[in-house]
Amino acid sequence: MLAEPNLKVFQELVSNASRDELIWMNGFLAGLMQTGNGVQAPVETTPAITVKKITIAYGTETGNAKKLATQFATGAKKKGITVKLSGLDQYKLNDLAKEEYLFVVISTQGDGEPPATAKKFYDHIHSATAQLPNLKFGILGLGDTSYPLFCKAAEDVDGQLEKLGAQRIVPLLKCDTDYDADAQQWIEQLFQNLSSAPQTAGAVATPKKTGHKKTYTGTIAANINLNDRGSKKQTHHIEITSEEEVDYLPGDSLGLIPHNKKQVIETILSVLSTTADKEVFYKEQAYTLGDLLTKRINIIHLPERVVAKYAAVVGQEIPATRIDLADLLKIYPVKDFAQFEEVLAILEPITPRLYSIASSPAAHSGEVHLTVSLNTFDINEEKKYGLCSEFLSQLEEGALVDFYVHRNNQFRLPAEDKNVIMIGPGTGIAPFRSFIAERDANGASGQNWLFFGEQHFVSDFLYQTEFQDYVQTGVLNRINLAFSRDQKEKIYVQHRMKEQAAELWEWLNNGAYLYVCGAKAPMSLDVEQALTEIIQEYGNKTESEAKAYIEQLENEGRFLKDVY
């Protein structure tokens, strides 16, 4: 321990030091400890990098991997390294055999799949037979630990490159949603391994151990169907209160794990001739069977990979299909409860569902609001409902629900004096209800322009009264509506954009921020195509120049998407 006067000097020195200065101090002190002598020349913590050229590729869905890869490339250039930065959708597959250093930042989607932009590269390396003995690589994965196949795409790419004979020079890192600090540490380690110091050839992938997200318990305060009589849709406005203040920002989402339906659980218990209170083990933890089946594991629409594992357990031929556990147990029964416990081991946890938060911390203190559309679909001509949307839509006032906040730092409001354009048809309106309420509560001076679309004005105008009030009070400066089924020709938000093209271009050209939320296909693709055409016409640009302009907006953080 330092004496009080020295401690004060030390604390003042450290608190005012830059990151580079702290690194220098660390090396300097390490040198003193190693020599045991007095003041010596400081030890360089990062030897000079001898590698002159690397390739950084990214596979992204929401833009996080691209942003991180770009930061990585910037840091490498500052160290004198020539960098080729490319999205995996643009990466020339023939170049792979020629690469000497390749580093990939890739996210994971859905059931452990690579993002659509990385699918071509992913499939190529998994079908390749030619070895890559000259390639040195490192993989950084982005994912969400709430999902059972956390960073699976990154694991697959890492493992496959190793199988092809490539040399891993930095261990695989699997990052959770709060990835910044861990990713930067990985990048710094990579730079050290690119230096003249010995490299970590053949390092075994060491997935990052992450903590659990903070879970809140809330109470359903309201559950209202926003659609009027005659609507073909069912959209619920759900208000959740919590005794503990929920820490979130506009643009964030709520993560929830739905419960399986009681009648489905009862069917499974009946087929097994057992009771809900029977104790079982799942992933080395004890549960009652009723609790496990209700809250923990996925038992409906089992993916083909799980059905194949079930077939192996029961020793029967089962066609590749998606099917509920109850139906599997009826058609291909287990021989006894011990075999069912083997089945439990191959079942996957219920995947959390994310819903954009529709409330504002400044305007709705103590509450979190959601806008949830009841998802319906047909399987074998039978009407089915989405597990989580049905679960939420049936929650009554007073019911308890567990949830966590999913940060979305790529979908944030700009400074209060900036203008914003929001395009959110259907439940894509949720974050923009949050945005507008937040700007109203904080007295933001920037203007707000909303494009909203649904099927019918009379029955499907979500939050109609609220938005009318915002228009009357001047919070919402412009609103353009597209109700697709109210006339013979279908009209969508992209059509309204083109009708307002001149002013939309003027807003953008004067620094406005543009946001899109809702279905990725076809809505967001159609919106981006309309935007391209508007920029071409009113910005007097070619198509390629218009697309470059949009990319520039994305790089500046002025074109942000939250699509699904």
Side-chain angles (χ1 to χ4, degrees), residues 484-490:
S484 59
R485 309 301 198 274
D486 278 351
Q487 58 284 312
K488 185 177 180 179
E489 293 184 2
K490 292 180 180 178

Side-chain angles (χ1 to χ4, degrees), residues 411 420-426 428-429 431-432 449-453 480 492-494 497 504 513-519 523-524 527-528 530-531 559-560 562-563:
F411 204 73
V420 298
I421 304 167
M422 299 161 283
I423 303 169
I429 193 64
F432 301 138
W449 186 353
L450 175 67
F451 288 85
F452 172 73
N480 291 99
Y492 298 108
V493 286
Q494 64 266 24
M497 289 171 61
L504 198 150
Y513 286 63
L514 177 64
Y515 298 82
V516 180
C517 183
M523 185 278 295
S524 73
V527 164
E528 192 156 343
L531 182 62
F559 181 30
L560 303 101
D562 183 9
V563 296

Side-chain angles (χ1 to χ4, degrees), residues 147-392:
Y147 288 77
L149 298 176
F150 171 56
C151 283
K152 184 66 165 57
E155 287 182 352
D156 290 347
V157 172
D158 182 85
Q160 189 60 24
L161 289 178
E162 184 180 42
K163 286 180 182 179
L164 294 175
Q167 178 185 357
R168 186 189 298 106
I169 67 165
V170 63
L172 164 69
L173 176 67
K174 302 195 298 184
C175 288
D176 201 357
T177 52
D178 51 346
Y179 58 81
D180 286 326
D182 296 308
Q184 291 306 317
Q185 185 176 354
W186 182 88
I187 291 170
E188 288 300 323
Q189 178 64 49
L190 187 151
F191 286 146
Q192 289 186 24
N193 292 353
L194 289 178
S195 71
S196 55
Q199 295 183 351
T200 56
V204 177
T206 53
K208 173 186 179 307
K209 295 180 180 179
T210 56
H212 295 289
K213 294 180 175 63
K214 179 175 177 56
T215 300
Y216 301 88
T217 297
T219 303
I220 302 298
N223 191 340
I224 304 164
N225 182 7
L226 296 173
N227 299 100
D228 212 335
R229 286 173 295 181
S231 176
K232 295 180 180 179
K233 298 191 173 187
Q234 191 172 320
T235 310
H236 286 253
H237 170 75
I238 299 173
E239 298 182 2
I240 304 171
T241 60
S242 176
E243 292 184 2
E244 186 178 3
E245 188 71 24
V246 180
D247 180 20
Y248 74 94
L249 293 172
D252 287 339
S253 298
L254 217 62
L256 304 105
I257 296 182
H259 293 180
N260 291 306
K261 295 172 72 172
K262 183 178 180 180
Q263 50 267 45
V264 175
I265 309 303
E266 291 174 347
T267 298
I268 293 173
L269 295 175
S270 176
V271 171
L272 294 171
S273 300
T274 189
T275 58
D277 59 1
K278 184 174 181 63
E279 185 178 76
V280 292
F281 284 86
Y282 180 71
K283 296 189 181 298
E284 302 180 353
Q285 188 168 344
Y287 298 94
T288 64
L289 183 56
D291 180 67
L292 183 65
L293 294 174
T294 301
K295 303 177 182 178
R296 312 292 176 180
I297 58 175
N298 180 40
I299 58 176
I300 67 167
H301 315 320
L302 299 181
E304 291 181 8
R305 63 175 178 273
V306 174
V307 176
K309 291 177 182 177
Y310 181 97
V313 170
V314 299
Q316 299 190 56
E317 292 287 334
I318 304 177
T321 185
R322 299 199 70 155
I323 187 172
D324 293 353
L325 177 62
D327 293 329
L328 274 179
L329 290 169
K330 291 177 187 176
I331 303 170
Y332 309 98
V334 294
K335 64 181 181 181
D336 52 30
F337 195 82
Q339 192 173 67
F340 176 70
E341 289 182 299
E342 292 182 52
V343 170
L344 286 180
I346 59 99
L347 295 177
E348 297 174 352
I350 297 175
T351 302
R353 272 61 165 183
L354 298 178
Y355 292 91
S356 297
I357 295 176
S359 54
S360 150
H364 307 100
S365 179
E367 300 179 358
V368 185
H369 301 173
L370 302 178
T371 309
V372 179
S373 176
L374 180 60
N375 182 27
T376 61
F377 53 95
D378 293 324
I379 295 181
N380 299 324
E381 299 182 355
E382 182 181 356
K383 190 173 186 179
K384 299 282 189 179
Y385 297 94
L387 175 61
C388 195
S389 63
E390 184 180 27
F391 167 69
L392 289 172

Side-chain angles (χ1 to χ4, degrees), residues 88-105:
L88 285 173
D89 55 335
Q90 302 294 322
Y91 182 79
K92 295 180 180 179
L93 300 177
N94 291 336
D95 287 350
L96 187 58
K98 308 171 190 174
E99 298 282 9
E100 187 175 1
Y101 292 93
L102 174 67
F103 304 104
V104 178
V105 184

Side-chain angles (χ1 to χ4, degrees), residues 451-467:
F451 288 85
F452 172 73
E454 254 295 357
Q455 289 190 352
H456 298 284
F457 174 86
V458 173
S459 59
D460 303 318
F461 190 169
L462 308 182
Y463 302 112
Q464 177 182 354
T465 303
E466 287 186 23
F467 290 127

